[in-house]
Amino acid sequence: MKICLCCEGVCPRRHLDLEKLKQWFKENNCEIIPKTKISKADYIIYIPCGFIYQYFNNAIKRIKQFQGLNPKLIVGGCLWDIDKESINKEFKGKYFTTKNIEKIEKFFPEFKISLGKIPDQNKMSIEDAIYWDKPFIENISTPITLTEKIKNKLNKKPKIFTIRISDGCINNCTYCSHRKAIGNLKSKPLEEIKSEFIKGSQQEYNIFCLTGMDSANYGLDIKTTYPILIKDLIKINPKAKFILDEINPKWFIKYHNELYILCKNKKIKLISIPIQSGNNRILKLMNRQYNSEEVLSKIRILRKKFPKVTIKTQLIIGFPSETEKEFQDSINFVKAGKFYSCHLHPYSEYPNLKSAKINPKIPKEIINTRIQKAIRFFKDNKIHFKAYL
Ligand code: SF4
């Protein structure tokens, strides 16, 4: 059986899900064929993202495009838990969800090897990713240094070994569309992470990306903590350097001393700290549980002492009731924190979000105007950005 797998706009966790499925199909003697030969496949497995409207709508368009091809289509991911009604109206075919990925097994009853036998994967192939045609503006280049790029090219190896350390999330942000899709925090047992880390170290990877929806809440459900995890990994491979993916600023504040020492010891290459807003009133409405001044003061300490550590952030533009001045607070925050880059997401309102009850709503045109203003501001201030319009 010929299978073509692809994902679109997804986070590293869903990309790793796709890699796991790829491995499962291979072990059940299927032939994996590239996107370029998609029409020759017996099945297309497609995992899109639905975090914001733009992604959701794009996913629906892509599903229709795939349905026009001969292969049978199976869709996975978060769409059903984000907006069941909308996706059910558009697609009545086979699907599985992020929380219940094993549901795919029922479409292949003849397979001998179960999905549960396939370990979590650690390499994400860019060949599996489809990129949006538009509208998507970016000017981000990789923060990996030239020497590392050359080294990676020579080794012909993907440069980063990614370890999913947890699934789900412990927070209750009022705007979060995918909380229902990913469920509660479930930390991966330390021993499993260690064994993946040893595997990566033995394959001579030195850069490890630790990924989770809010990575730094790692361990709170299994009586350990994120800093303990990193310290344990460094004991195994002292040469390892880390990319710390998706650190909610509240954990960045709590673990600041530990992160400071890790930066001092040159263990950290990149930290992603999604601030979402630089204004305290909006942060409170978002239920983010930190204040912008405290985050900024801690970011400034790292920035000043360790300028080589890349620090990225994200903003949600047009949260209900956000004023022009509050929007300005957000972009000024990014400048004041000297962030390497900022992803700009327009606020998207799905049914049943807690933020749906907050008024007044910001019209789409104003959200787009603010995003354009943010882009100009970041260009003027030489801050890299990605924006979704
Ligand atoms: S978990 Fe969220 S970010 Fe990841 S693919 Fe699903 S909707 Fe997108």
Side-chain angles (χ1 to χ4, degrees):
M1 197 182 331
K2 291 190 173 101
I3 310 285
C4 180
L5 300 103
C6 52
C7 56
E8 190 165 24
V10 297
C11 57
R13 276 80 60 199
R14 302 294 74 77
H15 204 145
L16 291 175
D17 288 346
L18 191 86
E19 294 299 326
K20 190 171 179 169
L21 290 174
K22 190 198 276 181
Q23 197 55 32
W24 177 62
F25 281 113
K26 276 188 195 165
E27 299 215 2
N28 283 292
N29 301 318
C30 296
E31 185 190 342
I32 306 299
I33 62 167
K35 286 191 315 259
T36 46
K37 296 188 180 156
I38 196 163
S39 57
K40 306 250 180 316
D42 295 298
Y43 278 95
I44 300 171
I45 312 298
Y46 171 57
I47 302 187
C49 175
F51 176 54
I52 56 173
Y53 271 154
Q54 283 81 345
Y55 300 174
F56 197 99
N57 293 339
N58 183 81
I60 293 194
K61 270 194 225 150
R62 190 74 71 194
I63 286 170
K64 295 204 163 139
Q65 186 187 335
F66 286 155
Q67 282 176 319
L69 300 172
N70 264 338
K72 297 180 190 105
L73 174 66
I74 302 178
V75 183
C78 308
L79 304 189
W80 280 266
D81 285 310
I82 290 177
D83 187 353
K84 200 176 191 158
E85 211 176 297
S86 301
I87 183 70
N88 278 346
K89 256 190 238 156
E90 304 285 348
F91 179 65
K92 310 223 180 296
K94 291 177 176 165
Y95 72 92
F96 59 94
T97 61
T98 296
K99 269 194 291 191
N100 189 8
I101 186 171
E102 288 77 16
K103 188 180 162 193
I104 194 171
E105 292 184 294
K106 80 171 190 198
F107 306 128
F108 300 93
E110 71 280 21
F111 281 12
K112 296 274 182 296
I113 297 170
S114 72
L115 191 56
K117 290 264 181 297
I118 310 296
D120 226 350
Q121 303 294 296
N122 306 98
K123 297 162 205 170
M124 295 181 282
S125 154
I126 46 165
E127 277 87 53
D128 298 332
I130 310 178
Y131 296 95
W132 293 289
D133 310 332
K134 74 175 206 130
F136 180 66
I137 308 172
E138 69 172 311
N139 73 344
I140 296 187
S141 59
T142 166
I144 302 290
T145 66
L146 190 62
T147 340
E148 280 157 355
K149 271 189 198 165
I150 295 168
K151 232 158 95 187
N152 287 319
K153 219 174 173 182
L154 290 177
N155 285 341
K156 291 198 169 63
K157 265 184 197 165
K159 46 194 175 282
I160 297 163
F161 193 87
T162 304
I163 304 178
R164 181 205 316 246
I165 58 170
S166 62
D167 268 316
C169 186
I170 213 168
N171 305 313
N172 267 308
C173 306
T174 56
Y175 57 82
C176 184
S177 60
H178 52 200
R179 179 72 170 77
K180 270 195 287 166
I182 59 173
N184 289 328
L185 171 67
K186 196 163 179 287
S187 302
K188 189 181 273 179
L190 193 53
E191 289 313 309
E192 265 180 53
I193 298 178
K194 281 185 184 173
S195 91
E196 286 178 44
F197 181 74
I198 291 169
K199 189 170 93 187
S201 302
Q202 284 169 345
Q203 291 172 14
E204 295 180 3
Y205 284 88
N206 280 327
I207 303 177
F208 294 83
C209 172
L210 305 180
T211 187
M213 186 44 79
D214 175 2
S215 303
N217 67 25
Y218 175 78
L220 300 179
D221 54 336
I222 53 169
K223 297 197 170 55
T224 184
T225 66
Y226 188 59
I228 291 176
L229 166 70
I230 300 176
K231 272 187 218 151
D232 278 5
L233 297 181
I234 292 171
K235 274 189 216 149
I236 295 171
N237 176 2
K239 282 192 196 153
K241 297 196 188 302
F242 294 90
I243 291 175
L244 307 182
D245 189 31
E246 301 274 0
I247 309 289
N248 182 310
K250 79 175 173 189
W251 303 114
F252 174 70
I253 293 168
K254 185 171 167 62
Y255 297 140
H256 186 259
N257 291 343
E258 289 90 338
L259 290 172
Y260 183 95
I261 293 167
L262 287 168
C263 291
K264 192 171 162 209
N265 293 336
K266 301 194 168 71
K267 294 291 159 211
I268 308 296
K269 291 217 67 76
L270 187 154
I271 316 180
S272 157
I273 306 170
I275 181 78
Q276 310 301 17
S277 170
N279 176 272
N280 288 336
R281 188 187 75 86
I282 297 291
L283 287 174
K284 202 160 176 220
L285 290 174
M286 289 176 164
N287 192 28
R288 292 292 281 174
Q289 301 167 9
Y290 49 83
N291 75 64
S292 62
E293 291 80 13
E294 201 177 356
V295 183
L296 188 58
S297 75
K298 302 266 187 275
I299 299 256
R300 278 182 161 148
I301 295 171
L302 291 197
R303 273 275 58 94
K304 196 164 164 215
K305 294 275 182 189
F306 316 111
K308 286 194 178 154
V309 175
T310 303
I311 308 182
K312 303 196 310 185
T313 193
Q314 293 175 22
L315 288 175
I316 293 175
I317 306 294
F319 187 84
S321 81
E322 181 193 67
T323 63
E324 190 64 29
K325 143 97 183 50
E326 289 165 337
F327 155 71
Q328 289 291 341
D329 287 346
S330 289
I331 55 175
N332 287 337
F333 179 93
V334 178
K335 183 183 175 193
K338 295 191 178 153
F339 285 90
Y340 169 81
S341 71
C342 178
H343 285 207
L344 295 157
H345 292 110
Y347 171 75
S348 289
E349 192 157 286
Y350 284 106
N352 306 322
L353 284 186
K354 291 190 184 134
S355 58
K357 297 198 181 96
I358 302 171
N359 285 301
K361 307 295 177 214
I362 308 301
K364 248 188 187 162
E365 309 75 62
I366 295 187
I367 295 181
N368 280 346
T369 310
R370 285 183 188 169
I371 290 183
Q372 297 287 5
K373 275 188 197 166
I375 289 173
R376 276 200 299 280
F377 180 83
F378 291 154
K379 277 184 180 165
D380 291 347
N381 289 286
K382 300 193 170 30
I383 298 163
H384 295 80
F385 61 87
K386 250 189 190 181
Y388 308 92
L389 292 170

